[in-house]
Amino acid sequence: MPTTPVSNSPADVFAQQFSATRRGARLARLLAGHQMAVWGHPHGTCVHDTVTLVVGQRRAARLGART
């Protein structure tokens, strides 16, 4: 099984704030997926899919807590 190159340098830090709306949750997932692809984890890989799932769930949980 081929391995995906992983870098743990400080440049691999990404932070962004989104509104507590459905649109904010969607944008968070899309941007997280894009950033994973930029960092060498293309769409469909385990890392990419896991990160986008976790980001979506965290954003949805925060959205639910505010309603």
Side-chain angles (χ1 to χ4, degrees):
M1 175 179 254
T3 59
T4 304
V6 177
S7 173
N8 293 321
S9 70
D12 289 347
V13 174
F14 178 74
Q16 181 71 39
Q17 292 185 353
F18 295 93
S19 62
T21 63
R22 290 180 183 187
R23 182 173 185 264
R26 180 177 171 269
L27 290 173
R29 277 192 316 275
L30 290 172
L31 191 55
H34 173 75
Q35 192 61 47
M36 288 293 100
V38 168
W39 285 341
H41 303 285
H43 179 75
T45 61
C46 185
V47 172
H48 177 282
D49 293 348
T50 300
V51 168
T52 55
L53 177 65
V54 169
V55 166
Q57 291 298 318
R58 285 187 51 83
R59 196 69 246 165
R62 293 188 117 197
L63 178 59
R66 293 183 184 213
T67 58

